[in-house]
PDB file of all heavy atoms in Angstrom:
ATOM      1  N   ASN B 687      36.635  72.924 -12.318  1.00 33.00           N
ATOM      2  CA  ASN B 687      37.706  72.517 -13.209  1.00 33.00           C
ATOM      3  C   ASN B 687      37.404  71.159 -13.813  1.00 33.00           C
ATOM      4  O   ASN B 687      36.455  70.485 -13.438  1.00 33.00           O
ATOM      5  CB  ASN B 687      39.025  72.456 -12.428  1.00 33.00           C
ATOM      6  CG  ASN B 687      39.606  73.841 -12.202  1.00 33.00           C
ATOM      7  OD1 ASN B 687      39.462  74.711 -13.044  1.00 33.00           O
ATOM      8  ND2 ASN B 687      40.207  74.046 -11.048  1.00 33.00           N
ATOM      9  N   LEU B 688      38.280  70.749 -14.738  1.00 30.00           N
ATOM     10  CA  LEU B 688      38.054  69.505 -15.470  1.00 30.00           C
ATOM     11  C   LEU B 688      38.054  68.279 -14.573  1.00 30.00           C
ATOM     12  O   LEU B 688      37.155  67.466 -14.608  1.00 30.00           O
ATOM     13  CB  LEU B 688      39.132  69.366 -16.544  1.00 30.00           C
ATOM     14  CG  LEU B 688      39.233  68.021 -17.240  1.00 30.00           C
ATOM     15  CD1 LEU B 688      37.906  67.706 -17.892  1.00 30.00           C
ATOM     16  CD2 LEU B 688      40.331  68.051 -18.267  1.00 30.00           C
ATOM     17  N   LEU B 689      39.073  68.145 -13.721  1.00 30.00           N
ATOM     18  CA  LEU B 689      39.171  66.911 -12.941  1.00 30.00           C
ATOM     19  C   LEU B 689      38.971  67.196 -11.456  1.00 30.00           C
ATOM     20  O   LEU B 689      37.876  67.289 -10.978  1.00 30.00           O
ATOM     21  CB  LEU B 689      40.537  66.252 -13.202  1.00 30.00           C
ATOM     22  CG  LEU B 689      40.772  65.861 -14.664  1.00 30.00           C
ATOM     23  CD1 LEU B 689      42.188  65.347 -14.841  1.00 30.00           C
ATOM     24  CD2 LEU B 689      39.788  64.827 -15.129  1.00 30.00           C
ATOM     25  N   ASP B 690      40.030  67.383 -10.697  1.00 35.00           N
ATOM     26  CA  ASP B 690      39.915  67.591  -9.266  1.00 35.00           C
ATOM     27  C   ASP B 690      40.349  69.010  -8.908  1.00 35.00           C
ATOM     28  O   ASP B 690      40.846  69.756  -9.743  1.00 35.00           O
ATOM     29  CB  ASP B 690      40.815  66.602  -8.508  1.00 35.00           C
ATOM     30  CG  ASP B 690      40.448  65.176  -8.875  1.00 35.00           C
ATOM     31  OD1 ASP B 690      39.242  64.916  -8.981  1.00 35.00           O
ATOM     32  OD2 ASP B 690      41.356  64.352  -9.049  1.00 35.00           O
ATOM     33  N   ASP B 691      40.191  69.365  -7.638  1.00 36.00           N
ATOM     34  CA  ASP B 691      40.706  70.654  -7.174  1.00 36.00           C
ATOM     35  C   ASP B 691      42.217  70.717  -7.360  1.00 36.00           C
ATOM     36  O   ASP B 691      42.800  71.782  -7.540  1.00 36.00           O
ATOM     37  CB  ASP B 691      40.346  70.872  -5.703  1.00 36.00           C
ATOM     38  CG  ASP B 691      38.847  71.050  -5.537  1.00 36.00           C
ATOM     39  OD1 ASP B 691      38.198  71.443  -6.521  1.00 36.00           O
ATOM     40  OD2 ASP B 691      38.347  70.814  -4.432  1.00 36.00           O
ATOM     41  N   GLU B 692      42.853  69.540  -7.285  1.00 32.00           N
ATOM     42  CA  GLU B 692      44.302  69.483  -7.411  1.00 32.00           C
ATOM     43  C   GLU B 692      44.754  69.993  -8.774  1.00 32.00           C
ATOM     44  O   GLU B 692      45.833  70.547  -8.923  1.00 32.00           O
ATOM     45  CB  GLU B 692      44.762  68.036  -7.214  1.00 32.00           C
ATOM     46  CG  GLU B 692      46.268  67.872  -7.185  1.00 32.00           C
ATOM     47  CD  GLU B 692      46.618  66.419  -6.954  1.00 32.00           C
ATOM     48  OE1 GLU B 692      46.250  65.593  -7.785  1.00 32.00           O
ATOM     49  OE2 GLU B 692      47.240  66.135  -5.930  1.00 32.00           O
ATOM     50  N   LEU B 693      43.919  69.847  -9.770  1.00 29.00           N
ATOM     51  CA  LEU B 693      44.261  70.270 -11.126  1.00 29.00           C
ATOM     52  C   LEU B 693      44.480  71.770 -11.205  1.00 29.00           C
ATOM     53  O   LEU B 693      45.283  72.256 -11.981  1.00 29.00           O
ATOM     54  CB  LEU B 693      43.138  69.847 -12.085  1.00 29.00           C
ATOM     55  CG  LEU B 693      43.339  70.177 -13.563  1.00 29.00           C
ATOM     56  CD1 LEU B 693      44.608  69.523 -14.062  1.00 29.00           C
ATOM     57  CD2 LEU B 693      42.159  69.731 -14.351  1.00 29.00           C
ATOM     58  N   SER B 694      43.759  72.523 -10.348  1.00 33.00           N
ATOM     59  CA  SER B 694      43.881  73.974 -10.405  1.00 33.00           C
ATOM     60  C   SER B 694      45.291  74.421 -10.062  1.00 33.00           C
ATOM     61  O   SER B 694      45.762  75.450 -10.532  1.00 33.00           O
ATOM     62  CB  SER B 694      42.871  74.621  -9.452  1.00 33.00           C
ATOM     63  OG  SER B 694      43.114  74.201  -8.136  1.00 33.00           O
ATOM     64  N   SER B 695      45.980  73.627  -9.221  1.00 33.00           N
ATOM     65  CA  SER B 695      47.344  74.005  -8.876  1.00 33.00           C
ATOM     66  C   SER B 695      48.269  73.894 -10.079  1.00 33.00           C
ATOM     67  O   SER B 695      49.230  74.646 -10.202  1.00 33.00           O
ATOM     68  CB  SER B 695      47.857  73.119  -7.739  1.00 33.00           C
ATOM     69  OG  SER B 695      47.937  71.782  -8.162  1.00 33.00           O
ATOM     70  N   ILE B 696      47.945  72.937 -10.984  1.00 30.00           N
ATOM     71  CA  ILE B 696      48.772  72.791 -12.188  1.00 30.00           C
ATOM     72  C   ILE B 696      48.468  73.921 -13.170  1.00 30.00           C
ATOM     73  O   ILE B 696      49.353  74.538 -13.732  1.00 30.00           O
ATOM     74  CB  ILE B 696      48.497  71.441 -12.866  1.00 30.00           C
ATOM     75  CG1 ILE B 696      48.802  70.311 -11.905  1.00 30.00           C
ATOM     76  CG2 ILE B 696      49.331  71.287 -14.114  1.00 30.00           C
ATOM     77  CD1 ILE B 696      48.442  68.962 -12.453  1.00 30.00           C
ATOM     78  N   LEU B 697      47.196  74.173 -13.338  1.00 30.00           N
ATOM     79  CA  LEU B 697      46.792  75.109 -14.379  1.00 30.00           C
ATOM     80  C   LEU B 697      46.856  76.557 -13.931  1.00 30.00           C
ATOM     81  O   LEU B 697      46.905  77.464 -14.744  1.00 30.00           O
ATOM     82  CB  LEU B 697      45.367  74.787 -14.842  1.00 30.00           C
ATOM     83  CG  LEU B 697      45.185  73.374 -15.359  1.00 30.00           C
ATOM     84  CD1 LEU B 697      43.743  73.168 -15.782  1.00 30.00           C
ATOM     85  CD2 LEU B 697      46.106  73.105 -16.512  1.00 30.00           C
ATOM     86  N   GLY B 698      46.799  76.788 -12.617  1.00 36.00           N
ATOM     87  CA  GLY B 698      46.788  78.163 -12.146  1.00 36.00           C
ATOM     88  C   GLY B 698      48.061  78.518 -11.426  1.00 36.00           C
ATOM     89  O   GLY B 698      48.955  79.166 -11.947  1.00 36.00           O
TER      90      GLY B 698
END
Side-chain angles (χ1 to χ4, degrees):
N687 282 326
L688 169 58
L689 299 175
D690 303 319
D691 292 336
E692 186 179 61
L693 181 59
S694 60
S695 64
I696 301 175
L697 303 180

